Amino acid sequence: MSLIESLRNEVEIRESEHAAILAEREAQQTYYEDSLKPSMQEARSYFLEVVRNLKFLKTVTPVSLPMAPDGESLVAMEQSGYEFFYDNANNPMRLDIVCECLVSGAQRFYLSTPDKVAQYTEFLDGLHFSYHRKTELDSKYEIRNATFELEGPLKVGVTIEASLADRCIYIYMRNVEGLAKKRYRFAPEKVDTALMERLARLILRQEETLVNVTLPNEVRNELSMQVMAERQEREKDLKIAIEEMRLERLAEVEARKLSTKVKNLTQLMKSKMSDNLASA
């Protein structure tokens, strides 16, 4: 192949790749206009009004979150400071609803061992939650115990994001369903008024989860029977595998015994032959 032919082939490949990229972008844009955009615009309008009203009313939401050192005891907090952000009014791709939780009154916790102090410190740091720690050291200047005073605030947020690549709408949540980061994936048509209503109530702590998965009894029983059948099948396969291993090991032992007998018999025959030749 000549140089000019090689260059032409490379140009054709590049042009083909570029055309494929443009076609994919066009398909994504078409999908956005037809499916993602209507849902994102509806969500933008809905939360724009919700947050505007919350700010006008200066809404303060009481919250109880498991922020004590034992991971279970609840700490009284107040949620406020609602804000709403979006990237584009006409073609929204990302919406953010944010607020924060402030500690109600003084919240102090005494931890008596270095391990507990380290674990609680790691927990609060993981939440990016401000606190004051008064530490008592031993004679070797190592931590003996500590008293924590919670300060805050705890950042709370929900992000609604359209994904062109995955052709869906993701909802990311931070410190909304408890103290966790979660992600939900929805088809565009599922992000409707009912879902946004539930999401708003979830942010205001009037709901516990965004999605309730309630299975009918017959479905639950069928899944339970399926799990049991699969467990029995695995146990059966395990027993067969163990028996096969036992038989293989037994065969190996018998083979070694036979090899030893043959070896001993061969040596005996050689010894007798040597004796016969010597006597002759």
Side-chain angles (χ1 to χ4, degrees), residues 90-279:
N90 296 322
N91 300 291
M93 290 289 293
R94 173 169 173 157
L95 315 172
D96 289 282
I97 308 104
V98 298
C99 56
E100 59 184 22
C101 291
L102 300 175
V103 177
S104 301
Q107 295 286 346
R108 297 185 182 89
F109 299 101
Y110 171 77
L111 300 180
S112 59
T113 66
D115 288 343
K116 292 180 180 180
V117 172
Q119 290 173 4
Y120 196 45
T121 300
E122 183 179 359
F123 170 73
L124 294 176
D125 289 344
L127 293 173
H128 302 288
F129 190 86
S130 298
Y131 56 92
H132 175 71
R133 190 181 81 179
K134 184 178 180 181
T135 306
E136 182 179 343
L137 305 178
D138 59 19
S139 58
K140 297 180 181 179
Y141 297 98
E142 295 180 350
I143 295 175
R144 175 182 293 171
N145 55 60
T147 299
F148 289 79
E149 182 172 357
L150 303 187
E151 296 177 351
L154 178 70
K155 299 297 183 180
V156 177
V158 170
T159 296
I160 304 172
E161 189 170 60
S163 173
L164 295 175
D166 297 336
R167 297 196 171 194
C168 68
I169 294 177
Y170 287 110
I171 296 181
Y172 300 89
M173 298 191 297
R174 181 179 65 171
N175 301 325
V176 176
E177 291 185 350
L179 298 174
K181 292 182 180 180
K182 290 191 176 182
R183 184 188 78 168
Y184 290 95
R185 173 175 175 165
F186 295 97
E189 64 273 13
K190 297 295 182 181
V191 183
D192 54 12
T193 303
L195 181 65
M196 287 182 283
E197 176 80 11
R198 188 171 182 86
L199 181 57
R201 292 185 179 277
L202 181 66
I203 295 171
L204 292 171
R205 313 293 174 170
Q206 298 173 7
E207 296 284 352
E208 293 184 357
T209 59
L210 181 60
V211 178
N212 277 333
V213 181
T214 304
L215 297 177
N217 290 332
E218 58 272 17
V219 175
R220 189 182 295 108
N221 293 335
E222 183 178 347
L223 290 175
S224 178
M225 293 175 61
Q226 182 178 346
V227 170
M228 184 179 298
E230 291 176 352
R231 184 187 299 118
Q232 292 174 348
E233 187 67 23
R234 288 196 300 269
E235 291 176 353
K236 179 182 177 181
D237 292 341
L238 180 60
K239 289 179 180 179
I240 293 174
I242 292 174
E243 181 64 16
E244 289 177 348
M245 291 175 60
R246 188 186 70 81
L247 293 175
E248 287 178 2
R249 291 176 181 174
L250 182 60
E252 290 175 0
V253 171
E254 293 298 328
R256 285 197 297 270
K257 289 181 179 179
L258 180 60
S259 176
T260 301
K261 288 181 180 179
V262 171
K263 182 179 180 181
N264 292 338
L265 182 59
T266 302
Q267 290 178 348
L268 180 60
M269 292 178 63
K270 287 181 178 180
S271 178
K272 287 183 177 181
M273 290 176 63
S274 297
D275 293 344
N276 291 337
L277 289 175
S279 61

Side-chain angles (χ1 to χ4, degrees), residues 5 38 61 77 86 105 162 167 174 180 212:
E5 290 174 333
T61 306
M77 309 183 79
Y86 50 89
R167 297 196 171 194
R174 181 179 65 171
N212 277 333

Side-chain angles (χ1 to χ4, degrees), residues 8-23:
R8 285 173 179 170
N9 287 339
E10 186 173 350
V11 168
E12 290 177 357
I13 292 173
R14 295 287 181 88
E15 288 178 341
S16 177
E17 292 175 347
H18 183 63
I21 293 173
L22 291 179

